[in-house]
Amino acid sequence: MNFSSKLLENAVNEFSRLPGIGQKTALRLVLHLLNQPASDVTKFSDALVKLKSDICYCTVCHNIADELICEICAAPKRDKGLICIVEDTRDVMAIENTNQFSGVYHVLGGLISPMDGVGPSDLNIDSLINRLRENDVQEIILALSATMEGDTTIFYLYKKLKDFNVQISTIARGISFGGELEYVDEVTLGRSIATRVPYERSIA
């Protein structure tokens, strides 16, 4: 792609580094910003800089937050005895949009994937074990994507958690194998949470 300006080319190259953004889309976004008032572009760039500099990760569940403890963990009406384990913040948002879950979360920060060099020690598993030891937890929901990596992580977690006095369940498989949790429609995801089953039964 030929550019009439080096500044334009640099901006397009930076936008095209974002996932799912090709050069044509990046060019369209950059040209759109050029047509906006300077104050709007400044507000946009300030939001990105502030996001990177001020963002926190909840010290309890590892969800993205504005404070050291996220709004969900701090909410007095949430059931602290019910923990839903998810891969990342996108899954928290997807489940919250169903309005079917009143417990709290634990964000692993990824899935076990030997092919990608990601092992159990790379995930937020030790802090999950500590939560179970230090709190009165009645149920753990394993809400991970229906992929090989998701199933591997679920099985590993089950082995780690089965000796605790806690019910371990997994979301119902209304979600096809290979499906990413964040892309499942809200109705299907909501039903999968509501009709969760004990993990032992899911592997029987």
Side-chain angles (χ1 to χ4, degrees), residues 152-169:
T152 299
T153 306
I154 286 175
F155 186 71
Y156 178 85
L157 289 172
Y158 174 71
K159 290 292 189 182
K160 295 284 287 187
L161 305 177
K162 65 184 178 64
D163 292 332
F164 285 91
N165 185 27
V166 59
Q167 179 180 338
I168 302 174
S169 56

Side-chain angles (χ1 to χ4, degrees), residues 3-10:
F3 295 93
S4 60
S5 163
K6 192 65 178 177
L7 293 174
L8 177 64
E9 181 180 359
N10 290 340

Side-chain angles (χ1 to χ4, degrees), residues 109-123 149 152-153:
L111 297 174
I112 295 173
S113 178
M115 292 290 290
D116 298 319
V118 180
S121 62
D122 298 309
L123 307 181
E149 293 80 9
T152 299
T153 306

Side-chain angles (χ1 to χ4, degrees), residues 96-126:
E96 284 296 286
N97 286 336
T98 70
N99 295 314
Q100 295 287 326
F101 184 66
S102 59
V104 292
Y105 297 91
H106 190 86
V107 179
L108 291 177
L111 297 174
I112 295 173
S113 178
M115 292 290 290
D116 298 319
V118 180
S121 62
D122 298 309
L123 307 181
N124 299 318
I125 295 177
D126 288 344

Side-chain angles (χ1 to χ4, degrees), residues 142 170-175 188-189 191-197:
L142 301 171
T170 183
I171 55 178
R173 287 300 172 90
I175 302 169
T188 300
L189 183 55
R191 287 175 179 170
S192 295
I193 290 288
T195 60
R196 60 188 180 273
V197 295

Side-chain angles (χ1 to χ4, degrees), residues 15-29:
F15 269 89
S16 64
R17 291 171 59 190
L18 296 172
I21 303 294
Q23 282 218 324
K24 288 184 178 179
T25 301
L27 177 60
R28 188 163 64 249
L29 293 172

